């Protein structure tokens, strides 16, 4: 069948990477999609990062008993790390969004304050605890652990309150 692509990677990195992708690319992509659904760009980013690491660590990889398994584990770890980072980026607090460079002009600041007023007025229809949790999470930017400490609640109770508050707010803001 020929030489192992991981061994070729040491001597001829470009050719080795091409051979690895030709031989294992579909398996690699499938493995990554187990952790990242419906985001082809993120899947491509994870593949790219995995290949970069293969390139950098190519001499160590060639010495491993099963470099393919190592590559799959690395791809999984990179996928999980990138997915976590993307969730963190999406959870940016409203206050942080207001400070983004695109909202420096007066119109954007006014729009932010108007939207905040609408959200806060609709939040009056929530239970007192749902309102506190929602405001602390989405406006003050506290994470679940901070909410647990501040409100002396168990982790599941915080998740339930936040989930319920967000669902109610969606309905209130739509109608």
């Amino acid at each position: 069948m020929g030489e192992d692509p991981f061994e070729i990677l040491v001597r001829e990195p470009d050719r080795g990477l091409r051979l690895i992708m030709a031989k294992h690319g579909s398996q690699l992509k499938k493995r990554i999609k187990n952790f990242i659904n419906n985001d082809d760009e993120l899947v491509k980013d994870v593949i790219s990062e995995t290949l970069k690491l293969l390139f950098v660590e190519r001499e160590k990889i060639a010495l491993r008993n099963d470099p393919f398994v190592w590559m799959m584990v690395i791809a999984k770890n990179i996928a999980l790390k990138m997915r976590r980072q993307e969730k963190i980026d999406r959870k940016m607090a409203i206050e942080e969004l207001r400070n983004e460079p695109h909202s420096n002009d007066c119109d954007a600041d006014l729009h932010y304050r108007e939207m905040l007023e609408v959200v806060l007025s609709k939040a009056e229809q929530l239970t007192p605890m749902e309102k506190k949790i929602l405001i602390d999470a989405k406006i003050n930017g506290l994470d679940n652990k901070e909410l647990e400490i501040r409100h002396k609640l168990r982790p599941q109770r915080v998740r339930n309150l936040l989930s319920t508050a967000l669902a109610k707010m969606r309905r209130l803001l739509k109608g």
Side-chain angles (χ1 to χ4, degrees), residues 31 123 169:
R31 174 76 170 161
M169 284 301 293

Side-chain angles (χ1 to χ4, degrees), residues 62-114:
L63 300 174
R64 294 192 171 274
N65 289 340
D66 195 347
F68 172 76
V69 171
W70 183 87
M71 177 182 74
M72 296 306 241
V73 169
I74 292 302
K76 171 191 167 190
N77 292 340
I78 291 171
L80 293 174
K81 179 180 175 186
M82 290 179 101
R83 192 178 75 186
R84 265 191 309 273
Q85 186 58 47
E86 192 162 273
K87 282 183 181 180
I88 290 168
D89 293 345
R90 272 191 262 132
K91 281 186 169 181
M92 193 183 304
I94 291 173
E95 191 62 35
E96 291 175 40
L97 288 174
R98 187 172 76 103
N99 293 326
E100 290 292 307
H102 69 276
S103 64
N104 285 339
D105 61 79
C106 294
D107 291 338
D109 193 45
L110 179 62
H111 180 71
Y112 166 79
R113 281 192 247 128
E114 288 171 352

Side-chain angles (χ1 to χ4, degrees), residues 7-19:
E7 290 175 11
I8 295 172
L9 181 64
V10 176
R11 294 185 315 271
E12 302 173 61
D14 292 336
R15 183 171 160 244
L17 288 174
R18 282 194 306 276
L19 289 172

